[in-house]
Amino acid sequence: MSPFAGSRIVLAVSGGIAAYKAVEICRRLVDAGAHVVPVLTAAAQRFVGEVTFSALASERARLSLFDDDDPIPHVTLGRQADLILVCPATARVIGAYAAGLADDLLSATLLATRARVVVCPAMHTEMWEHPATQDNLRLLAGRGVIVVPPEEGRLAGGDEGAGRLAAPEPILAAAADALAIGDAASSGDMTGLRVLVTAGGTREPIDPVRFVGNRSSGKQGYAVATEAAVRGAKVTLVATVQRPLPASVDLVLVETAEEMRTAVVDRLPADVVIMAAAVADYRPAAPAAEKIKKTGEARTITLEPTPDILAALGRGTGAGILVGFAAETSDVLANARVKLHAKGADLIVVNDVSAPRAGFDHDTNEVALLDSAGGCTTVPLASKRHVARAILDRVVALRAAR
Ligand code: C5P
């Protein structure tokens, strides 16, 4: 299983000759299933063109605080990231980060994140050994930044000495560790648990080519499945969409609410069931066998209720800890509390889908976790992976309290 699968990484490239080595790191991270967004300083672009990174990364390279459609690119990048990998890190970038200066996109993103940060210094020996650089790195390490020390070897201009960027292997290992450290307290705390997760919006056919659907992307359910697998669970994911996933997760692809119900019920019992899917509440009562012809007349489609999978699990046994999701647009907490009881769930993850950057199709989410014992935890806007972590922390606590 790749430790990078499903993670969002900002690859922050500053301007040293070692910038060309970041191209290889970018490619390897993408190959390993990470979603990589490169951020290049002005000096980095003197060494490697943005096109090279844009072609290899998951998104185009970002270059400036001001030339983006997004008015706050540093905040967006910082919030959405699970990890920022500064590779190579010049003495200037290390100094700016330590001092809290934010005078370009890269340094502003570093200040605008709560994600883990890995710094890979590369510079001439004199600069590396300078007390300013060493003090800055000590300060950063004290704040939890992970430093991958440079190696001895050939430097720009034919010089030899300490300061050459570390090899790709230690850099990638540190990045993988940093992603896992989020789980340091919890790593392995789901070992052996059977976890069943659903993800994505169901599609209910109107005819062979049309369907009733919704805006769910499946990203939150995939993040939950990935996180549970990282924490040692034996995970089955029943989903309507395909996204990168650790190889250890057993993926079952379905389309309709009825197919999802059958897939879930067939895989019980489980220790934990997390219903992140946006299951249609209604479906066309009589889908047409042939494509419906355009007549120019108004047309009525009769909808019938779909089976409520979560409520059925809540009434039965075999689902262990049962987690439902509630997408609300008004009276968010009150509606979610009603749903918690009506569905017989142990925990409801509620999000206000009208809030900016939360819910359907976004990479970030902002939720409240309501449990049947009356507890309520809020998770402020963060990456969906981070939200997944918070959900599983509650699940583990609820299991321990049983
Ligand atoms: O009732 P509502 O659709 O708002 O509830 C949302 C929760 O119920 C989600 O966890 C969703 O996966 C689940 N659900 C279900 N079966 C349905 C509708 C929703 O399991 N038919």
Side-chain angles (χ1 to χ4, degrees):
M1 180 181 77
S2 161
F4 298 108
S7 62
R8 285 187 66 93
I9 300 178
V10 169
L11 179 61
V13 185
S14 57
I17 181 63
Y20 81 91
K21 296 183 179 173
V23 174
E24 175 69 8
I25 299 287
C26 178
R27 198 186 58 80
R28 290 215 204 173
L29 288 172
V30 171
D31 286 351
H35 183 101
V36 180
V37 187
V39 171
L40 275 57
T41 62
Q45 295 163 58
R46 308 275 230 154
F47 292 97
V48 189
E50 60 167 302
V51 179
T52 308
F53 282 100
S54 292
L56 292 169
S58 318
E59 288 184 26
R60 68 184 165 79
R62 303 299 206 288
L63 310 175
S64 155
L65 272 166
F66 305 109
D67 300 338
D68 209 279
D69 301 336
D70 184 349
I72 46 166
H74 56 303
V75 178
T76 307
L77 287 165
R79 274 191 188 147
Q80 294 183 350
D82 296 305
L83 171 71
I84 300 192
L85 177 59
V86 192
C87 175
T90 58
R92 182 192 72 82
V93 160
I94 291 167
Y97 187 25
L101 300 178
D103 59 351
D104 64 3
L105 179 60
L106 189 153
S107 51
T109 304
L110 283 170
L111 288 196
T113 195
R114 295 199 178 104
R116 291 264 157 201
V117 177
V118 173
V119 166
C120 312
M123 61 200 78
H124 254 78
T125 310
E126 293 83 345
M127 297 170 81
W128 168 246
E129 289 177 350
H130 196 286
T133 306
Q134 292 301 318
D135 284 351
N136 286 333
L137 284 169
R138 253 190 301 278
L139 192 62
L140 290 175
R143 292 178 190 158
V145 172
I146 296 160
V147 180
V148 185
E151 300 173 345
E152 301 238 350
R154 238 175 87 92
L155 303 168
D159 291 341
E160 291 267 342
R164 189 171 75 165
L165 182 72
E169 287 70 26
I171 292 175
L172 292 168
D177 285 351
L179 281 170
I181 285 174
D183 327 312
S186 54
S187 64
D189 64 354
M190 299 188 83
T191 300
L193 292 186
R194 284 157 309 163
V195 175
L196 185 54
V197 184
T198 64
T202 62
R203 293 176 166 198
E204 310 298 333
I206 296 171
D207 69 15
V209 297
R210 305 179 180 96
F211 59 85
V212 176
N214 60 66
R215 296 185 191 280
S216 170
S217 62
K219 287 177 183 172
Q220 185 63 73
Y222 267 76
V224 169
T226 301
E227 193 60 25
V230 165
R231 288 163 82 144
K234 170 101 199 59
V235 183
T236 300
L237 176 64
V238 179
T240 59
V241 287
Q242 249 183 313
R243 316 186 67 86
L245 197 64
S248 68
V249 175
D250 180 21
L251 176 67
V252 184
L253 284 171
V254 296
E255 197 167 297
T256 64
E258 181 53 37
E259 287 169 13
M260 184 169 277
R261 189 192 66 77
T262 308
V264 167
V265 170
D266 281 356
R267 281 157 186 85
L268 292 177
D271 298 300
V272 182
V273 177
I274 303 180
M275 294 281 307
V279 186
D281 292 322
Y282 292 94
R283 66 184 168 208
E290 305 274 324
K291 185 182 168 199
I292 297 170
K293 293 272 177 287
K294 181 164 77 180
T295 62
E297 302 288 302
R299 183 173 281 280
T300 304
I301 298 173
T302 303
L303 300 177
E304 65 179 13
T306 55
D308 193 319
I309 310 166
L310 180 60
L313 296 185
R315 285 191 299 271
T317 53
I321 297 281
L322 183 58
V323 182
F325 276 62
E328 303 286 347
T329 52
S330 62
D331 293 333
V332 175
L333 286 181
N335 284 337
R337 204 161 276 294
V338 170
K339 200 164 287 180
L340 177 72
H341 296 298
K343 304 239 185 188
D346 299 293
L347 186 70
I348 287 276
V349 182
V350 51
N351 53 5
D352 179 350
V353 285
S354 62
R357 282 200 271 277
F360 293 138
D361 206 28
H362 290 292
D363 290 322
T364 46
N365 213 353
E366 183 176 13
V367 303
L369 309 176
L370 301 184
D371 65 57
S372 48
C376 177
T377 317
T378 55
V379 186
L381 194 71
S383 72
K384 286 191 168 172
R385 182 79 182 262
H386 181 91
V387 171
R389 235 170 249 159
I391 295 168
L392 295 181
D393 285 348
R394 287 301 302 142
V395 165
V396 169
L398 287 171
R399 270 183 59 82
R402 275 214 165 157

